[in-house]
Amino acid sequence: MLSQISQTALAVVLAAEESGEPAVNPWFIGGGVLAFLLLLLLGLVWFGGGREHS
């Protein structure tokens, strides 16, 4: 079982070394996640703005 895991890990490392640049720029992924989280934050503020404080 251990040899199977090490073979899989070796295959993953070799595949990662072969590819030069990622298919999608990590800055686009991070920017999209940031925009999504800011949208959720704005929705939370908008939802909480009309409620009475208890």
Side-chain angles (χ1 to χ4, degrees):
M1 172 132 171
L2 185 59
S3 65
Q4 181 70 22
I5 294 172
S6 63
Q7 288 176 354
T8 305
L10 181 61
V12 169
V13 169
L14 289 176
E17 289 177 355
E18 289 178 3
S19 63
E21 291 194 21
V24 179
N25 191 344
W27 286 96
F28 289 129
I29 303 247
V33 170
L34 178 63
F36 178 69
L37 291 175
L38 287 175
L39 183 66
L40 287 177
L41 180 64
L42 288 174
L44 180 66
V45 169
W46 173 75
F47 179 75
R51 299 176 58 106
E52 287 186 20
H53 298 288
S54 56

